[in-house]
Amino acid sequence: IYSHTLHYRYRWKPSMMILQALLIFFLLFVAERYFNATSQHLLYSFGYFIIIWILQGISFFLYCFVSSLPMCWHIDGFLSPWGGWRTKLPLSISNYQQIEWMFFSIGTAVSLLVTAWWSVQYGFLMLSYHITLSIPRIVTVLRIQKWKNEKKSYVIKYERQGIGLYST
């Protein structure tokens, strides 16, 4: 039986969600002004939120499948940056960082494919949404970097609408 000590809990607060929403509306304005995106382009681009959420689930599933980790999804985390995708077992910091960088890389690659395949307007909007929605994940990956090289063994646990950094 392991005794875990909580060192850090990361949850994305409503004020940060508002900041993300403002950033998205600013990027919509940029797309309309500089990329000549019509209102139809902007309206269709909101479907990318679902695509990004599915990409997140696919990348999380691939990592869990390769690592033989049990994957689960809970509705309580649907509005969190992690989309409710989680594993029941704790992860090491390096494994957690690999999952997050894998999601960021897959989302960026798909956004660039959208740019090449459909149009610059759609590609810019998808890349903008992806990067904006990835801000909390990247901030978390960078924040936990300082604990990676310490002598204690730290693990990441997915919690309700967030993650926690624990030591064993």
Side-chain angles (χ1 to χ4, degrees):
I1 297 173
Y2 290 105
S3 173
H4 296 291
T5 305
L6 177 67
H7 290 279
Y8 178 70
R9 180 171 281 140
Y10 187 76
R11 289 196 175 122
W12 203 235
K13 309 269 190 231
S15 61
M16 298 309 288
M17 289 180 196
I18 292 170
L19 183 65
Q20 273 182 305
L22 291 174
L23 184 59
I24 286 173
F25 285 120
F26 172 73
L27 291 169
L28 289 173
F29 172 75
V30 167
E32 186 176 31
R33 181 161 179 124
Y34 296 108
F35 291 104
N36 299 323
T38 63
S39 58
Q40 182 181 10
H41 284 115
L42 300 178
L43 185 63
Y44 288 161
S45 71
F46 286 118
Y48 290 145
F49 289 117
I50 296 168
I51 294 172
I52 291 170
W53 182 73
I54 290 170
L55 284 174
Q56 177 185 359
I58 290 171
S59 64
F60 196 82
F61 170 76
L62 287 174
Y63 189 84
C64 288
F65 180 75
V66 169
S67 302
S68 298
L69 293 170
M71 183 180 125
C72 60
W73 181 80
H74 291 284
I75 191 84
D76 63 349
F78 184 66
L79 294 176
S80 76
W82 294 272
W85 305 105
R86 61 178 84 166
T87 180
K88 296 175 185 177
L89 301 175
L91 299 170
S92 68
I93 291 176
S94 60
N95 286 349
Y96 173 74
Q97 289 176 330
Q98 288 174 0
I99 289 174
E100 296 303 326
W101 288 122
M102 183 177 169
F103 165 68
F104 188 76
S105 301
I106 288 173
T108 303
V110 169
S111 300
L112 293 175
L113 283 173
V114 165
T115 302
W117 199 262
W118 287 325
S119 69
V120 175
Q121 293 94 356
Y122 288 128
F124 172 77
L125 289 167
M126 183 157 182
L127 188 62
S128 300
Y129 294 155
H130 172 65
I131 290 174
T132 303
L133 295 176
S134 296
I135 290 171
R137 302 167 80 109
I138 292 173
V139 167
T140 306
V141 166
L142 296 175
R143 276 189 170 175
I144 64 171
Q145 183 64 32
K146 66 182 176 181
W147 284 292
K148 189 175 183 180
N149 296 328
E150 289 192 16
K151 295 182 183 190
K152 284 186 181 178
S153 92
Y154 290 100
V155 294
I156 301 290
K157 283 186 175 182
Y158 286 94
E159 298 177 344
R160 189 173 180 197
Q161 296 184 350
I163 63 164
L165 177 73
Y166 292 87
S167 66
T168 55

